[in-house]
Amino acid sequence: MKKRSLIFYLFLSSLINTAAAQSDGLYDPNFAYVFDASLSNAKGLALQSNGKIVWGGGQLNVDGLYSDGSLNFTSYQSLASGELLSIATQADDKIVAVGMIQMGLEDSRIEILRLNPYGSYDNTFNSNGRLSLDPTPGFDYARSVAIQDDNKIVVACEFSAGENNSETVIIRLNSDGSMDATFAANGMFRIDVSSMWEMPNDICIQDDGKIVVAGQCTNPSVGRSGYIIRLNENGSLDSTLSGTGVFHTQFGAGCDVYDLAIQADGKYLLAGAYAVGYTHHYGLFRINPDGTTDLSFGTGGKFTYFLGTYDYGRAVEVQDDGKILFAGYHSSGYPNSSGVIFRLLNNGTLDPTFSDDGILITDLGYIYALKLQSDGKILVAGGDQGYGYGRVERFYGHKPDVTLNFDGTDDYVSIADNDATINAMTIEAWVYWTPDANTDIQFICSKSMEQMELHTAGGSGSNGIRFIPASGVYLDAYNVLPMNRWTHIAAVYDPSQALAKMYINGLETPLTNNGTNPLTTPVSNTTSDFTLGKRTGVGFNFKGSIDEVRIWNTAKTQAEIEADFTNTLNDYGQPELVAFYTFDQGMPGDTNTTDTLLYDTRLLFNGTLDNFALNSNTSNWIESYAMVIPQALPPDSISLTSFRARWNHPETGIVENYVLEVSHVSDF
C-alpha cells in the first residue's frame, strides 16, 4: 500500500500589533504620568501579560497599570509600619508581593501576599492570600521574590541572629503557600555568610533551575562587601561556584549590592555602590559563573561612575542585544536627588547611542526598580524628589522607527518635481489604512492625473487598490488591502515589456486593466509635484499611515521585492532608486512642529508636510510597526492528522497578532 505524504506550506501575513521605538533614552510621551503617594519609594516593579504593569511600595500597597500607564487597579493593604520590598508575577498574572511589618521597636515580621491579577487577595494561597512569618524576636525581612516555572515561590529573607547580626534564609513555598518539604530543610535554607548584618537583596532563577541570591553583608575585618549564594534545585549549596557555593566580592570595603541580573552566557551582574571616603560611587560588577571576577568587563571587572556625593546603583537589566541597563539615583543631600539610568556596551563601557553619552538623568528623585518590556521600552519605579512619593516612568530603549499619520482630511506631503525621468517604474510603500469605510477612495501617492498613482477602492472595489502608472491604464487588484493592518504594496510597470505587476507582502496578486489604453502606454513624465497622501491638486486624502516609500526607475522582480521589503534598505550603489523616504523623523505623539520636512535619504527629493497638526497621536509623527513580520519555516512533526508550525521571530519588535494560512500546495 502506498502512503500519501502531506506537505504543509505556511504563510504568515502582516502583523497588526508589533513594537518599535523612538530614540534611545527619550521619555515616552505616550505613557501616562504615574504618581501615587501611597506607594512611597516604590521598590516593586513587574510585568503582566499584554503589557500590563504592577508596581508597589509604601505599606505593602500595589497598583496595576495598563500598558499606556493608565490605572488598572489599586490594592492598598495599608498595613501600618509595613514596607513592600519586591514584586513578581506568575505566568497566570497573579501577583506575589513581599516585605515586612514592624511589630515593635526591635521586631518585624515577614509578610508575603498573593493577589489575583486585578489586585484582590488570592484565597487559594494560605486560605486568605497572606502568609505572615515571625521566626525570631528581632528584625526579619522578606527582601526579594522569584517565581519558578512550576509556580513555586522562592523568597530571599533576612532573619535576625542576635544583636548586630542577621543571616540569609531562602524559603520555597508551594503554590498554595505551604512550605516545600523537598527544598533544603523542610522548605528553608539558612546560612550565615558573615559575622554581622546580611541583606539578601535579590533572587533569580537560572534557566537550569538553580537559585542565585545576591546581596551585601558586613564583616568587622573588611567592612561591607557583596556576596552571591547559588543553590541547586533541591536547596543544597552549588559548590561549582567558588568551590563552596558562596562568593564574596573583592572590591574593597564599603561595597553594597542591591540587584542581580544573569546574562545569556551565565555571567552575573551585581548592581550597587562602593564607598570612597565619605562619598559613594556607582558600581556595577560582573562575575563569571564559577565565581571569578570577569576582568574583561569595565576596569578590573567593574564599571564605576561618580556624579557627586552620594551615588547608588539599585537595579540592572540586560537587553536582548547584550547591552546593559544600570539604574539608581544621585543625591547631593536632601531633598536634591535625581534618578539616573546608564546604558553600557557588553564590555562595560558607556553606550554613546543612549541619551548621547550613555547617561540619562531623569526627573524622578530616586530609581529603585527597572524592567524591560518585550518591545524594548524601559520602565523604572521609585520616588519623586523630597518626600519620595511613588513614581513610574517609561523611556524608549531602541533606535527610531516612526512614520506619519495622515488624518484623511487635509494632510499630505508635497515633493517638488526635479526633472527625474521615469520610464519603467516600481513604487513600494508600507501602508496602514484606517478609512471610515472600505470603499473610500483615498490616494497613497500621485504625480499628476493618471500618472504614478496608487489609490484605494474606486474601480478596484472594497479593499481594492487601483494602480494608474500612465494615462488610461487602470490596473485593479481586488480585495487585497485590509483595514487596520500594516501591508506592503509594490506596484510595477514597464511599457517596453507590456508588463504590469502588483505584490502584496511580497506575493503577486492578479491585476486587471480596466482602462482604455494598453500596457505599452508610456509614462508621460509631467512636471507636476509628486504627493503622498492625496491626489495631486485634487484631494481624496489618505487616512492612516504611510512608511518606507521607495520609487524605482526599473521594474523590480518578485525575488528582489521579497528580499528587501522587510529590511532597511541601503540606498547607496543603487542608481535605479530615484527616491527613498524612511519617515524616521520626529518623536511619536510629541510636539513636532519643527519637523516639517520628509527627507529623501539622498536629499534630492525632500518633501514638505502640509496641514499636519504635529502635536498629538494623529496628524503627526507616530510609532511605526511596519516591516516587522515573522519568516515562515518548514513545518515539522508532520503526521496524517497534525503538524507543528514554525517561524522565525522578527529581529525587532514583538509578534502579537498575525494571520496563519495553511495549504497542501506551495503556490497558494
Side-chain angles (χ1 to χ4, degrees):
M1 180 179 70
K2 292 183 178 180
K3 293 184 178 179
R4 176 176 294 178
S5 297
L6 296 180
I7 300 177
F8 294 88
Y9 297 90
L10 306 181
F11 171 67
L12 290 157
S13 75
S14 61
L15 305 185
I16 301 171
N17 294 317
T18 57
Q22 201 9 284
S23 296
D24 303 33
L26 290 177
Y27 175 72
D28 181 0
N30 299 309
F31 191 72
Y33 179 79
V34 180
F35 170 90
D36 191 336
S38 297
L39 275 64
S40 58
N41 291 317
K43 296 181 174 68
L45 181 64
L47 298 171
Q48 294 177 306
S49 62
N50 298 320
K52 294 177 182 176
I53 302 158
V54 291
W55 65 298
Q59 298 173 330
L60 287 156
N61 297 329
V62 177
D63 280 354
L65 307 175
Y66 292 106
S67 60
D68 64 357
S70 59
L71 186 65
N72 182 11
F73 68 83
T74 59
S75 181
Y76 292 167
Q77 279 56 247
S78 298
L79 298 171
S81 301
E83 183 180 11
L84 186 147
L85 296 173
S86 181
I87 283 181
T89 51
Q90 299 182 169
D92 59 4
D93 281 345
K94 289 184 178 181
I95 303 156
V96 181
V98 303
M100 55 79 72
I101 294 178
Q102 188 90 18
M103 302 294 292
L105 290 177
E106 296 184 357
D107 186 21
S108 65
R109 74 169 188 244
I110 289 167
E111 199 74 13
I112 303 172
L113 314 175
R114 190 165 73 192
L115 308 176
N116 291 310
Y118 291 96
S120 61
Y121 281 115
D122 175 15
N123 293 330
T124 67
F125 180 79
N126 198 39
S127 75
N128 63 358
R130 290 177 57 181
L131 176 64
S132 300
L133 301 173
D134 193 13
T136 79
F139 291 107
D140 304 314
Y141 303 84
R143 292 200 172 273
S144 186
V145 61
I147 311 297
Q148 295 187 168
D149 289 341
D150 58 4
N151 274 343
K152 290 184 178 181
I153 300 166
V154 188
V155 185
C157 302
E158 176 187 349
F159 282 12
S160 174
E163 186 176 357
N164 296 323
N165 196 8
S166 63
E167 61 182 356
T168 298
V169 179
I170 303 167
I171 63 175
R172 189 163 75 189
L173 305 175
N174 295 310
S175 184
D176 63 2
S178 61
M179 287 287 187
D180 177 10
T182 67
F183 180 78
N186 296 316
M188 186 178 299
F189 170 86
R190 303 177 72 144
I191 189 171
D192 193 354
V193 300
S194 75
S195 59
M196 294 183 69
W197 296 108
E198 300 171 19
M199 298 173 64
N201 287 318
D202 198 18
I203 188 167
C204 294
I205 312 296
Q206 294 188 165
D207 290 341
D208 61 4
K210 292 182 179 181
I211 299 164
V212 186
V213 172
Q216 63 202 49
C217 60
T218 303
N219 191 301
S221 61
V222 297
R224 292 195 313 278
S225 65
Y227 68 93
I228 300 175
I229 299 169
R230 190 166 70 205
L231 304 181
N232 296 307
E233 287 186 82
N234 63 3
S236 61
L237 281 166
D238 175 15
S239 61
T240 62
L241 176 75
S242 296
T244 62
V246 180
F247 167 81
H248 285 269
T249 60
Q250 303 298 312
F251 301 112
C255 176
D256 299 324
V257 171
Y258 292 100
D259 199 27
L260 164 70
I262 304 175
Q263 295 187 166
D265 58 6
K267 294 180 180 181
Y268 302 122
L269 290 162
L270 306 180
Y274 67 101
V276 178
Y278 293 101
T279 65
H280 281 82
H281 296 218
Y282 293 104
L284 182 65
F285 319 115
R286 191 160 75 188
I287 312 300
N288 293 313
D290 63 359
T292 57
T293 300
D294 179 10
L295 298 178
S296 69
F297 182 76
T299 302
K302 65 181 178 180
F303 163 82
T304 64
Y305 207 88
F306 183 57
L307 287 172
T309 314
Y310 305 110
D311 295 341
Y312 291 92
R314 296 298 301 251
V316 61
E317 288 276 333
V318 182
Q319 295 185 170
D320 289 342
D321 60 5
K323 292 181 179 180
I324 299 162
L325 291 164
F326 174 42
Y329 60 89
H330 155 72
S331 174
S332 58
Y334 180 86
N336 301 311
S337 60
S338 298
V340 180
I341 304 172
F342 300 88
R343 191 164 75 186
L344 310 179
L345 303 175
N346 194 254
N347 64 3
T349 59
L350 287 167
D351 176 10
T353 68
F354 181 78
S355 190
D356 296 328
D357 58 1
I359 306 171
L360 175 65
I361 298 178
T362 74
D363 62 359
L364 279 81
Y366 307 90
I367 293 176
Y368 294 109
L370 166 71
K371 291 294 178 185
L372 271 171
Q373 294 186 167
S374 57
D375 60 3
K377 291 179 181 177
I378 303 163
L379 281 167
V380 293
D384 66 357
Q385 290 191 8
Y387 295 105
Y389 294 146
R391 290 278 305 279
V392 174
E393 286 191 355
R394 188 166 71 190
F395 301 89
Y396 289 107
H398 286 301
K399 293 183 178 179
D401 194 357
V402 297
T403 188
L404 268 177
N405 175 265
F406 296 73
D407 65 7
T409 302
D410 59 0
D411 293 347
Y412 68 98
V413 178
S414 57
I415 302 163
D417 179 74
N418 200 13
D419 297 325
T421 300
I422 302 291
N423 295 313
M425 74 175 73
T426 300
I427 302 173
E428 293 185 75
W430 280 91
V431 298
Y432 191 93
W433 189 38
T434 59
D436 297 325
N438 63 2
T439 55
D440 290 350
I441 301 174
Q442 298 180 354
F443 275 70
I444 298 166
C445 64
S446 171
K447 182 68 166 67
S448 66
M449 291 287 191
E450 300 193 356
Q451 184 189 353
M452 297 180 66
E453 293 189 321
L454 276 174
H455 71 75
T456 62
S460 60
S462 302
N463 298 101
I465 299 173
R466 172 165 281 188
F467 174 35
I468 309 177
S471 178
V473 181
Y474 303 159
L475 303 170
D476 291 323
Y478 302 108
N479 197 30
V480 294
L481 183 62
M483 298 166 57
N484 305 312
R485 183 184 300 172
W486 279 105
T487 302
H488 182 264
I489 303 167
V492 179
Y493 183 68
D494 186 350
S496 69
Q497 303 180 59
L499 173 70
K501 300 282 187 181
M502 184 174 290
Y503 304 96
I504 302 296
N505 295 328
L507 299 180
E508 185 175 357
T509 190
L511 275 180
T512 301
N513 186 3
N514 290 314
T516 57
N517 288 337
L519 298 183
T520 55
T521 305
V523 179
S524 60
N525 281 296
T526 68
T527 58
S528 300
D529 288 353
F530 184 69
T531 57
L532 296 171
K534 82 164 190 176
R535 192 173 203 180
T536 301
V538 178
F540 298 104
N541 292 74
F542 185 80
K543 187 176 182 182
S545 299
I546 302 173
D547 202 355
E548 291 288 323
V549 174
R550 304 167 185 176
I551 310 296
W552 302 85
N553 189 14
T554 187
K556 302 285 282 185
T557 66
Q558 181 176 5
E560 290 172 326
I561 291 167
E562 280 189 301
D564 288 333
F565 83 100
T566 60
N567 298 319
T568 300
L569 188 67
N570 182 355
D571 64 338
Y572 296 102
Q574 302 199 56
E576 295 163 331
L577 184 61
V578 177
F580 179 23
Y581 304 97
T582 62
F583 289 77
D584 287 336
Q585 295 143 240
M587 184 173 177
D590 206 355
T591 299
N592 292 294
T593 50
T594 60
D595 292 297
T596 58
L597 292 179
L598 176 65
Y599 290 109
D600 171 21
T601 56
R602 287 172 291 187
L603 305 179
L604 297 176
F605 298 97
N606 295 336
T608 300
L609 276 58
D610 293 288
N611 303 319
F612 288 86
L614 299 178
N615 60 6
S616 66
N617 287 320
T618 58
S619 188
N620 194 7
W621 299 99
I622 65 170
E623 287 191 60
S624 175
Y625 306 141
M627 296 177 62
V628 186
I629 66 172
Q631 177 188 8
L633 299 174
D636 61 14
S637 303
I638 299 171
S639 71
L640 291 175
T641 58
S642 66
F643 69 97
R644 186 177 69 166
R646 300 170 59 243
W647 58 87
N648 280 334
H649 191 285
E651 292 183 3
T652 60
I654 57 172
V655 180
E656 292 181 349
N657 292 288
Y658 53 89
V659 177
L660 175 66
E661 298 178 78
V662 182
S663 176
H664 66 281
V665 296
S666 61
D667 58 350
F668 76 110

